[in-house]
Amino acid sequence: MKKNARAYYEEAREIQGLTTQLIREYQTVIRPELSKINQDQNLTEVGKKAKADALKKEYGIKILQNAQTMKEKHSANLIKARKAAEKTIHTTHKKPDAETVSRFEKAFKALKTELMLTPRADTAQRKLNEFMAKVKDPWIAEQIRSDFADVAGPILNAAGSSRAKYQLELAAAFEKLDADHATPEIVEAREVLHYVEHAEQSNGLFSGFIEADAVKEMVGHEYASYLNKPEEFFAQEEYKEAKPAEHVDPELDLERRIAEGVKKGNELNAKLDLITKQKIQSGELKL
């Protein structure tokens, strides 16, 4: 079952919140083992270093395997949050009854004519503002925004040297028209989309120096430097086989398979149409 944009975004945040917990869990395992190696009287200093390095490599790879899977899950939820938010934002408002639509269309047409015939920009702007102030229906507000150039044009044409001033004021009125009539769902979707964009532009899941420093102290800089780009680590020839299985998000995978099915269906239909036309032209098929 699909969720709304905020639910997907919160899942992404939960994954990011697990990064510190992941590092702490490895600390509780690695530190005692390294201490045990260091205290082993049966090993030379060279032997201790070799065994410690092997341990760090083993756990460094494990940490980056976890980082890779978490990154893929985090990205999948951000993608789903973005898609859900954009779908909500671009959803068309419910159209009012026929009588309300008819009254609006007549009044809006009359307003456009009035603005064209009004010689003063301030008077024309006042008429437009008064008209917009009476709008209560989101669908009607959407229609005005769609045709805003038609009502803004006459005002700007009459503005003369004050054109820049009226441009700013009309731009503000255009945005206000949208903000005043956005549904709570759309307002929330826009907020979530803003958060998603911020997350997409961030440095990665492991955003704090404390986490990077902790990994560096545990297993070394070689692994800590790849915390936010584990895919680059596993792209190296030496570590390709250690790359974890790719996380497949069920919802995104279903969308992909449906899209591929539609594409193949369209290609098949196009081929059948071409074959049919060729047979008609050659006389093999008569309709």
Side-chain angles (χ1 to χ4, degrees), residues 51-113:
K51 194 169 183 179
D53 286 347
L55 183 73
K56 290 178 179 181
K57 180 177 181 179
E58 176 189 349
Y59 281 105
I61 291 172
K62 286 182 179 179
I63 290 171
L64 292 180
Q65 286 172 334
N66 279 276
Q68 175 76 17
T69 301
M70 291 172 73
K71 183 175 183 178
E72 289 174 353
K73 290 181 178 180
H74 182 260
S75 295
N77 277 292
L78 288 182
I79 290 170
K80 290 187 289 185
R82 172 180 282 281
K83 286 185 175 183
E86 289 178 343
K87 182 179 180 181
T88 299
I89 290 169
H90 298 298
T91 298
T92 304
H93 294 293
K94 183 180 178 181
K95 191 174 183 178
D97 61 85
E99 184 179 345
T100 300
V101 172
S102 178
R103 286 201 305 268
F104 159 69
E105 289 177 344
K106 289 178 181 177
F108 197 36
K109 184 177 180 180
L111 173 68
K112 289 179 181 179
T113 303

Side-chain angles (χ1 to χ4, degrees), residues 1-2 80 83 248-262:
M1 180 180 176
K2 288 192 174 184
K80 290 187 289 185
K83 286 185 175 183
V248 178
D249 184 89
E251 291 178 40
L252 294 179
D253 186 54
L254 178 60
E255 285 183 15
R256 178 188 60 77
R257 287 189 281 113
I258 290 173
E260 288 178 354
V262 171

Side-chain angles (χ1 to χ4, degrees), residues 115 128 147-158 163 166 170-171 174:
L115 297 182
L128 174 60
D147 286 354
F148 203 77
D150 292 346
V151 292
I155 298 173
L156 294 175
N157 290 337
R163 184 183 179 87
Y166 282 99
L170 287 167
F174 180 76

